[in-house]
Amino acid sequence: MDYQTADKLGAEQTVSVEASSLRDQLTTIRQALKTSPVRRQLSWVSIGIVGVIVATSVGQVLLNRWNQPFYDALARRDLPGFLHQLMVFAVIAGSLLVLNVGQTWLNQMIRLRLRETLTLDLIDEWMRPARAFRLTHAGAIGVNPDQRMQQDAGHLSDLSTDLSVGLLQSFILLVSFIGVLWELSSGFVFHVGGHALAIPGYMVWAAILYAGIASWLSWLVGRPLIRFNSDRYTREAELRSSMVRINENIDAIALAHGEADASRRLDVDLGSVLGAMRRIYGAQINLSWVTDAYGWITVVAPILVAAPVYFAGDISFGGLMMAVGAFNQVNSSLRWFINNIGAIADWRATLMRVADFRIALGETDILHAKEKRIEFGENANGRLTFDKLEVASPDGCTKLAETSVDIQAGERVMITGDPRAGKTLFFRAIAGLWPWGSGRIGMPAGETPFFVPRTPYFPLGTLRDALNHAEGAGIDDAEISAVLNEVGLERLSSQLDRSARWEHELADDEQRLLAFARLALRKPKWVIIDEALDTFDGATLRRVLAMLQARLPNAAILNIGRGLHNNQFFPRALTIVKDSGGSALKPARLRAGAIEPPPAAPRAKK
């Protein structure tokens, strides 16, 4: 197995995904909030907005009561009473304006703190040792983690804030105005066939029945939006991933004249996005028939409900307007679900993506829990040992031809094997990234090996950051320049304080040379290399080996590769072999997963 084959393990062969429940999703988000470093600030802001909403509800009740004297003054043509009520209105409205602005500010603060909480939590979970690597081998849940942490977490924060604040506000208004509406309904008497009929709380029951029917119809029509929104986010992530991949490989695509194939790939991904959007728009149109019709009927519904009592002369015009206002407040609170069914479906889909991702991060630690694992230990004698080591994979196991291997400090060993023997998999097993298999790896006690992968990583920042010599206290610029000169990168000596994306500015071989310069500056006692020397030409290879000989004369160096190097530098040789009949890695199951999306709609041929 080569490094490309090893990178493909997981999504296609090793992991299947089970859907998590809403309870699991809410529990994992609650855990994130509980352990957040900003939970105290979030709690205080939440308490503040509750207080503002309660105060706003009191103001709304006062405003509703203001309706009766105001409209009665109009009906009596009482100018002084009319002007007095205008002054009362100014006080109430001004207070509500201040409260509304304060609520808006607190709403934004909750969004900010919640976004900080969720994103930091996901980053911390993702960046735990070896988790991000294992997640890439955990199936579809490990695709596009950047979108789940950046876009989905932000969207979930916004939706959660708006929906929770709106629901709380609607609930408090409902509690406040049900009493008002019940009291107003106590004077409603219906005259039917010479008989007087009084229904206690008549308008309250009318509002509940009216909103309940509309809510049930809205949920029935809008429920598919949960699945459709989840599918859309998945399709959008695939399109974004394809665009990033093409941009990162644009040189190879241009040289191979592969623009047409790349365009067709993007066309297919775009088609799946547009198909998902069409399904969402279709469901939203169906939902609009219910919500819009309900909205128009609501304009006259409270008047129609109270009209028989008004025309019977049992309430004044001001009393009618007060009853209509209270009915609208109760109905507005009850119709919160109707007005937000689309947002609720979107929130449910986003919650599923964020929570399932966090669940999967935790479960990667127990991925293949029933499989045997390689035993890791320390050797007090300061040696590196492999005892009956077998690294499991879906198509067999990778192991050394020798059953027991003992490598002493300062020894230099060349480890070779066929192209599909699994050299990179063996490298990852030594590093602890791939723990599945059997046997024992004994590390030298008190030592931390320095691992050099085929493709090096450099953090964003200055060249000093890329060389990471901060861990090597006392290293001055002269020594850095000397090492860069030894590997043939002397032109970079004057750019130590320049910030750049070095993986874009340097060629592949230059990146590997910079990685070996970093290695020389760190001066480790144990070095394990994965095919990083295989791409160098003869002159460059001799330069790097000479630098290692001069800078790390007493370090033990294990080079996993093709074996085309100087036997004088690597006098000892070991062989990696593939045993297709050995212990294989069985499929694992993760509890987290998304709702299975509907198939993409076929696109018409151009």
Side-chain angles (χ1 to χ4, degrees), residues 28-47:
T28 193
I29 295 299
R30 186 166 60 249
Q31 290 173 347
L33 295 174
K34 186 177 180 180
T35 59
S36 170
V38 297
R39 64 185 181 278
R40 190 166 302 220
Q41 298 95 311
L42 184 60
S43 298
W44 281 115
V45 175
S46 300
I47 292 172

Side-chain angles (χ1 to χ4, degrees), residues 100-163:
N100 288 339
V101 173
Q103 181 176 328
T104 300
W105 181 81
L106 289 169
N107 183 291
Q108 300 298 332
M109 291 300 100
I110 291 177
R111 286 188 182 195
L112 184 66
R113 293 304 183 188
L114 191 56
R115 170 72 184 275
E116 181 180 6
T117 294
L118 292 179
T119 305
L120 283 178
D121 175 76
L122 291 176
I123 291 174
D124 289 343
E125 293 290 318
W126 187 50
M127 284 289 97
R128 292 195 181 187
R131 269 193 180 177
F133 169 79
R134 291 174 187 169
L135 187 69
T136 62
H137 300 278
I141 196 70
V143 177
N144 301 312
D146 54 314
Q147 185 186 41
R148 295 180 186 256
M149 289 184 287
Q150 182 263 327
Q151 182 175 323
D152 292 343
H155 193 45
L156 180 62
S157 301
D158 292 345
L159 288 173
S160 299
T161 301
D162 291 342
L163 290 174

